[in-house]
Amino acid sequence: SSGINAEYGDAMVSMGLKDELDSLVQHTGISGLVSQVIGFKEFDRYIELKRSSSNDETELERTFEEGVDRMKCKTRQYARRQLKWIKSRLESCTQPEYHFRRLD
């Protein structure tokens, strides 16, 4: 994917998303609200494998990359919904109001 949402996802990965996920799994786990945040819930399968102490690095890497792809897709979808909502609010604010007076 391309665009700002893909760049955002790539930036998250380069800033240590995998290390953050691994740390959460190892120290605190992922539960509650954190598990619903865009950028974390897309890694359910990866987290599941990490919790099972999987030593299959190829499978871990594949599931992490799938999570990155899902995160980018969900971020793009969320951004589109936000833009649609904002545009609908702006349109309702900018609709001209016409007032007619009788000319008798």
Side-chain angles (χ1 to χ4, degrees), residues 80-95:
R80 276 194 218 138
R81 284 193 309 272
Q82 284 181 318
L83 286 174
K84 186 177 179 181
W85 184 86
I86 290 167
K87 285 179 183 178
S88 74
R89 296 307 180 265
L90 289 176
E91 287 172 0
S92 67
C93 292
T94 59
Q95 292 294 323

Short mmCIF file of all heavy atoms in Angstrom, two decimals, residues 80-95:
data_model
loop_
_atom_site.label_atom_id
_atom_site.label_comp_id
_atom_site.label_asym_id
_atom_site.label_seq_id
_atom_site.Cartn_x
_atom_site.Cartn_y
_atom_site.Cartn_z
N ARG A 80 -10.20 7.15 6.20
CA ARG A 80 -11.29 7.45 5.24
C ARG A 80 -12.59 7.77 5.97
O ARG A 80 -13.31 8.69 5.61
CB ARG A 80 -11.52 6.27 4.30
CG ARG A 80 -10.59 6.26 3.14
CD ARG A 80 -11.09 5.27 2.09
NE ARG A 80 -9.94 4.62 1.53
CZ ARG A 80 -9.84 3.35 1.25
NH1 ARG A 80 -10.85 2.53 1.46
NH2 ARG A 80 -8.75 2.86 0.74
N ARG A 81 -12.91 6.98 7.00
CA ARG A 81 -14.12 7.25 7.78
C ARG A 81 -14.04 8.61 8.46
O ARG A 81 -15.03 9.35 8.50
CB ARG A 81 -14.36 6.16 8.82
CG ARG A 81 -14.90 4.87 8.25
CD ARG A 81 -15.43 3.93 9.32
NE ARG A 81 -14.53 3.67 10.41
CZ ARG A 81 -13.61 2.71 10.44
NH1 ARG A 81 -13.47 1.91 9.41
NH2 ARG A 81 -12.84 2.55 11.50
N GLN A 82 -12.87 8.96 8.98
CA GLN A 82 -12.70 10.27 9.62
C GLN A 82 -12.92 11.39 8.60
O GLN A 82 -13.62 12.36 8.89
CB GLN A 82 -11.30 10.41 10.21
CG GLN A 82 -11.10 9.66 11.49
CD GLN A 82 -9.69 9.86 12.03
OE1 GLN A 82 -8.72 9.84 11.28
NE2 GLN A 82 -9.60 10.06 13.33
N LEU A 83 -12.32 11.26 7.42
CA LEU A 83 -12.48 12.29 6.40
C LEU A 83 -13.94 12.42 5.96
O LEU A 83 -14.44 13.54 5.78
CB LEU A 83 -11.60 11.98 5.19
CG LEU A 83 -10.11 12.23 5.38
CD1 LEU A 83 -9.33 11.74 4.17
CD2 LEU A 83 -9.84 13.70 5.64
N LYS A 84 -14.60 11.31 5.81
CA LYS A 84 -16.01 11.33 5.42
C LYS A 84 -16.84 12.05 6.48
O LYS A 84 -17.70 12.87 6.18
CB LYS A 84 -16.52 9.90 5.21
CG LYS A 84 -17.91 9.81 4.68
CD LYS A 84 -18.30 8.36 4.43
CE LYS A 84 -19.70 8.24 3.92
NZ LYS A 84 -20.09 6.84 3.70
N TRP A 85 -16.58 11.74 7.75
CA TRP A 85 -17.30 12.37 8.85
C TRP A 85 -17.03 13.87 8.88
O TRP A 85 -17.95 14.68 9.01
CB TRP A 85 -16.89 11.73 10.17
CG TRP A 85 -17.65 12.23 11.35
CD1 TRP A 85 -18.85 11.77 11.80
CD2 TRP A 85 -17.29 13.31 12.21
NE1 TRP A 85 -19.25 12.50 12.90
CE2 TRP A 85 -18.31 13.45 13.17
CE3 TRP A 85 -16.21 14.18 12.27
CZ2 TRP A 85 -18.27 14.41 14.17
CZ3 TRP A 85 -16.16 15.13 13.26
CH2 TRP A 85 -17.19 15.25 14.20
N ILE A 86 -15.77 14.26 8.75
CA ILE A 86 -15.41 15.68 8.76
C ILE A 86 -16.07 16.41 7.60
O ILE A 86 -16.65 17.49 7.77
CB ILE A 86 -13.88 15.85 8.72
CG1 ILE A 86 -13.28 15.40 10.06
CG2 ILE A 86 -13.49 17.30 8.41
CD1 ILE A 86 -11.76 15.24 10.04
N LYS A 87 -16.01 15.83 6.41
CA LYS A 87 -16.63 16.46 5.24
C LYS A 87 -18.13 16.63 5.43
O LYS A 87 -18.70 17.65 5.07
CB LYS A 87 -16.35 15.65 3.97
CG LYS A 87 -14.94 15.81 3.47
CD LYS A 87 -14.71 14.97 2.23
CE LYS A 87 -13.28 15.07 1.77
NZ LYS A 87 -13.03 14.23 0.60
N SER A 88 -18.77 15.63 6.03
CA SER A 88 -20.22 15.74 6.24
C SER A 88 -20.53 16.86 7.21
O SER A 88 -21.54 17.56 7.07
CB SER A 88 -20.81 14.42 6.73
OG SER A 88 -20.47 14.18 8.08
N ARG A 89 -19.70 17.05 8.21
CA ARG A 89 -19.91 18.14 9.17
C ARG A 89 -19.64 19.50 8.54
O ARG A 89 -20.36 20.46 8.80
CB ARG A 89 -19.02 17.97 10.42
CG ARG A 89 -19.31 16.74 11.25
CD ARG A 89 -20.79 16.63 11.62
NE ARG A 89 -21.10 15.47 12.40
CZ ARG A 89 -21.56 14.31 11.92
NH1 ARG A 89 -21.71 14.14 10.64
NH2 ARG A 89 -21.87 13.32 12.72
N LEU A 90 -18.62 19.58 7.72
CA LEU A 90 -18.30 20.86 7.06
C LEU A 90 -19.38 21.24 6.05
O LEU A 90 -19.75 22.40 5.94
CB LEU A 90 -16.94 20.78 6.38
CG LEU A 90 -15.74 20.75 7.30
CD1 LEU A 90 -14.45 20.57 6.50
CD2 LEU A 90 -15.66 22.00 8.16
N GLU A 91 -19.88 20.25 5.33
CA GLU A 91 -20.94 20.53 4.35
C GLU A 91 -22.18 21.06 5.04
O GLU A 91 -22.83 21.97 4.54
CB GLU A 91 -21.26 19.28 3.54
CG GLU A 91 -20.20 18.92 2.54
CD GLU A 91 -20.43 17.58 1.89
OE1 GLU A 91 -21.43 16.90 2.20
OE2 GLU A 91 -19.59 17.20 1.05
N SER A 92 -22.52 20.50 6.19
CA SER A 92 -23.72 20.97 6.88
C SER A 92 -23.51 22.38 7.43
O SER A 92 -24.47 23.12 7.60
CB SER A 92 -24.12 20.01 8.01
OG SER A 92 -23.16 20.02 9.03
N CYS A 93 -22.27 22.75 7.69
CA CYS A 93 -21.99 24.10 8.20
C CYS A 93 -21.96 25.14 7.09
O CYS A 93 -22.15 26.32 7.34
CB CYS A 93 -20.64 24.13 8.92
SG CYS A 93 -20.63 23.21 10.45
N THR A 94 -21.69 24.71 5.87
CA THR A 94 -21.51 25.67 4.78
C THR A 94 -22.69 25.75 3.83
O THR A 94 -22.64 26.46 2.86
CB THR A 94 -20.24 25.33 3.97
OG1 THR A 94 -20.37 24.01 3.44
CG2 THR A 94 -19.00 25.42 4.83
N GLN A 95 -23.75 25.00 4.12
CA GLN A 95 -24.93 25.06 3.27
C GLN A 95 -25.58 26.44 3.43
O GLN A 95 -25.90 26.84 4.55
CB GLN A 95 -25.93 23.97 3.63
CG GLN A 95 -25.45 22.57 3.32
CD GLN A 95 -25.28 22.34 1.85
OE1 GLN A 95 -26.05 22.83 1.03
NE2 GLN A 95 -24.24 21.61 1.48
#
